[in-house]
Amino acid sequence: MPNAPLLAPSLLAGDHGALAASAQVAAEAGAPWLHLDIMDGHFVPNLSFGPETLAALRRAGLKTFFDTHLMLSEPHRYADAFAKAGANLISIHIEPAYDHRATLARIRALGCQCGIVLNPGTPASAIEPLLDAVDLVLVMTVQPGFGGQPFRADMLPKLREIDGWRRSRGLNFRLEVDGGIDLGTAAQCRAAGTDTFVAGTSFFKASDQAAFAAAMAAL
Ligand code: DX5
Ligand code: ZN
């Protein structure tokens, strides 16, 4: 039985002068998750926001599930801070050198779900040994760092490969895509086994965000 489709609007495409209001728009549209892109200007060539932003969103009354995507060279140094700030799930990239398994275990010990992320250039085999230790695998469908980039259809075989491992091993981690996702590209990813869809630009630019969220939930 495949996991139900789930939408995670990316706050990166919201109004950075009124992030709580943008997060509220996503919640009121019916999106169950909120995707929070954390950038350090080193692992990716851009900066976004930090744990204090998550804490402020919680203080503003946001009850949404916080899907926190750490694009950091040293994510192991920040897991505690994001858990304390209100993250529900913390995803870390496989590419930098640090103890991935220990960091995933630490995230769970902090009471959060944990995810592992791969850049477009990273083969699925890089994360294959960690599949038993994660709640989510995030396949980047753009090079991370910026919203608004075109979807990379060449990531579809990678999704099918990871979904195949999930089925053959009887695992039930979520399989998420991030980058260039709209209703059309989401449908392609759904057919390849994806159940969790990050959407920044397409969600915040949609004329009817509730209709967009409903269409995603029906994929
Ligand atoms: C890219 C981020 C994405 C980004 C997606 O580095 O990880 O979450 O916000 O934006 P769109 O949906 O506009 O491609
Ligand atoms: Zn992201």
Side-chain angles (χ1 to χ4, degrees):
M1 185 72 182
N3 290 325
L6 196 154
L7 170 63
S10 171
L11 195 57
L12 192 66
D15 178 352
H16 285 239
L19 288 173
S22 291
Q24 200 61 46
V25 165
E28 280 168 16
W33 284 19
L34 184 70
H35 186 79
L36 294 146
D37 286 305
I38 313 301
M39 304 181 182
D40 66 355
H42 187 258
F43 179 68
V44 290
N46 197 6
L47 296 162
S48 57
F49 28 74
E52 185 50 38
T53 305
L54 275 71
L57 293 172
R58 289 298 188 212
R59 280 198 301 276
L62 264 295
K63 306 247 185 298
T64 323
F65 185 97
F66 283 178
D67 169 27
T68 314
H69 174 194
L70 302 187
M71 285 163 271
L72 309 176
S73 295
E74 299 188 307
H76 52 294
R77 292 181 55 199
Y78 299 95
D80 286 54
F82 282 99
K84 188 165 175 239
N88 298 101
L89 183 149
I90 300 175
S91 294
I92 56 175
H93 273 260
I94 190 70
E95 292 83 10
Y98 60 95
D99 190 336
H100 304 97
R101 193 173 273 278
T103 306
L104 293 166
R106 176 66 187 160
I107 292 168
R108 281 187 171 166
L110 289 162
C112 296
Q113 295 181 38
C114 65
I116 193 79
V117 194
L118 319 74
N119 279 341
T122 304
S125 56
I127 56 116
E128 193 254 328
L130 293 171
L131 293 179
D132 63 344
V134 298
D135 301 295
L136 176 141
V137 173
L138 169 50
V139 172
M140 292 307 301
T141 44
V142 297
Q143 185 63 25
F146 299 92
Q149 303 181 71
F151 173 75
R152 287 189 48 168
D154 57 333
M155 295 298 107
L156 292 168
K158 191 190 286 189
L159 291 166
R160 284 192 286 268
E161 188 174 10
I162 296 169
D163 180 46
W165 288 331
R166 179 170 59 175
R167 288 166 191 272
S168 63
R169 297 176 195 186
L171 298 169
N172 72 345
F173 55 83
R174 283 198 159 269
L175 183 53
E176 184 177 53
V177 285
D178 183 7
I181 299 299
D182 57 23
L183 289 169
T185 56
Q188 295 175 51
C189 294
R190 181 70 175 151
T194 305
D195 48 50
T196 308
F197 303 89
V198 177
T201 307
S202 64
F203 176 81
F204 282 99
K205 284 205 168 24
S207 53
D208 183 341
Q209 279 139 352
F212 183 98
M216 280 286 193
L219 277 175

